[in-house]
Amino acid sequence: MARHDPGPRRSDSVESYLRETRAAAAVAVLALAGGVASDVLAPGFWSRHGLLAGLASSVIVVLLSAALVNELLERRNRQRWSVLAQYVMLQLVRNARLTWTGMLDLAGLMPPDPYTTASLQTAGSWCTTRRG
């Protein structure tokens, strides 16, 4: 019996999940199109085989419903994780700024009052010369 590596679990990519869901929906649509085409080519087949028609239609409905529900749930999860990622990124930027300003302060490179009128005018003139 092979042992499983206890390393970090990684989920499949979103693209592979969407491909599987869309493939199931495509199979269901193709089956529906095949059923319609077979009814045109062999009239009366589905009326003579009611049980088979009922099973085929049930399978098609289940496949399409599952693909639709999976797509909607995946979209909702992506939106939820997007909001979380934005929040984490803002926290990361805030913590990085605090870290760098703390390091500059400890190294003595940070002026005691960085927002003085003179420093703001110097920064403003520097920005206007860089744009031009």
Side-chain angles (χ1 to χ4, degrees):
M1 175 181 236
R3 303 242 23 178
H4 180 69
D5 184 25
R9 293 178 56 181
R10 295 183 182 162
S11 62
D12 293 335
S13 70
V14 174
E15 294 299 323
S16 68
Y17 183 76
L18 289 177
R19 272 186 261 130
E20 291 172 6
T21 302
R22 290 177 181 158
V27 167
V29 169
L30 287 174
L32 180 64
V36 170
S38 70
D39 194 42
V40 170
L41 296 176
F45 174 79
W46 295 111
S47 61
R48 288 190 312 267
H49 301 92
L51 180 62
L52 182 61
L55 287 173
S57 65
S58 296
V59 167
I60 290 170
V61 168
V62 166
L63 281 174
L64 284 175
S65 299
L68 180 66
V69 168
N70 284 340
E71 188 76 24
L72 291 175
L73 290 176
E74 185 62 31
R75 183 173 293 167
R76 190 181 76 182
N77 284 338
R78 279 194 310 261
Q79 288 173 350
R80 185 182 315 151
W81 284 108
S82 174
V83 170
L84 179 65
Q86 290 172 0
Y87 175 76
V88 168
M89 187 59 97
L90 289 174
Q91 288 298 320
L92 179 67
V93 167
R94 180 180 163 269
N95 290 337
R97 184 179 186 281
L98 286 173
T99 302
W100 282 106
T101 54
M103 288 173 56
L104 288 173
D105 191 27
L106 286 174
L109 300 174
M110 184 85 120
D113 187 15
Y115 300 114
T116 61
T117 306
S119 66
L120 291 175
Q121 287 174 348
T122 304
S125 66
W126 183 79
C127 288
T128 55
T129 58
R130 299 291 279 173
R131 275 192 228 153

